Amino acid sequence: RSDQRLHSSAMASQKDAQVQKARALHAAIERMTDDTERLEKEVKALEAEKASSEQELSQLNSRLHAIQAELPQKLQKLQQLELLEQQKEAEYMRMLEATPTLVQVLKK
């Protein structure tokens, strides 16, 4: 009879240990599931941010290429205009020096 109680007690103890182990495993699985869901959301958010950044970078690169193409043309036009302005100023000064009466007319 005593052996039977010990055997029964040992089986109950073994069953309790299995139940505790099953609960611990279940809790660990739930934590991993929560972590997986959280990480999946983070990955999706990062992928969306990456796609947006790549699109923005593409637009910026396109604009940069357009600027690089336009800038030399604008600089050349600016240099031409500055040169023309200097020539006109020199021509104007020669005209004023050659015709003193023109200076009097322009002052009025």
Side-chain angles (χ1 to χ4, degrees):
R1 179 100 182 151
S2 173
D3 285 344
Q4 190 177 17
R5 265 194 237 156
L6 281 175
H7 182 67
S8 227
S9 175
M11 292 204 37
S13 177
Q14 187 178 5
K15 185 177 181 182
D16 287 345
Q18 288 176 339
V19 168
Q20 287 178 346
K21 186 174 181 179
R23 286 182 179 155
L25 287 171
H26 185 264
I29 291 169
E30 284 183 346
R31 282 191 306 274
M32 285 186 253
T33 300
D34 291 344
D35 289 347
T36 298
E37 289 172 359
R38 180 182 48 79
L39 283 172
E40 285 173 346
K41 287 179 185 175
E42 290 175 8
V43 165
K44 284 181 183 178
L46 286 172
E47 286 173 343
E49 185 180 353
K50 178 183 177 236
S52 175
S53 295
E54 286 173 341
Q55 181 180 6
E56 186 178 342
L57 183 59
S58 175
Q59 291 170 348
L60 288 171
N61 276 328
S62 292
R63 180 62 186 137
L64 177 60
H65 290 306
I67 289 170
Q68 287 173 330
E70 187 178 352
L71 188 57
Q73 296 169 354
K74 296 284 183 183
L75 286 171
Q76 184 178 8
K77 285 181 182 179
L78 178 60
Q79 288 173 341
Q80 290 172 349
L81 188 57
E82 288 173 344
L83 181 60
L84 183 60
E85 183 180 1
Q86 290 171 2
Q87 291 170 351
K88 294 295 180 187
E89 286 176 354
E91 183 180 342
Y92 178 72
M93 292 305 289
R94 283 192 302 274
M95 184 182 287
L96 289 178
E97 291 169 0
T99 317
T101 56
L102 183 60
V103 174
Q104 298 301 321
V105 171
L106 291 175
K107 283 186 177 179
K108 291 182 182 180

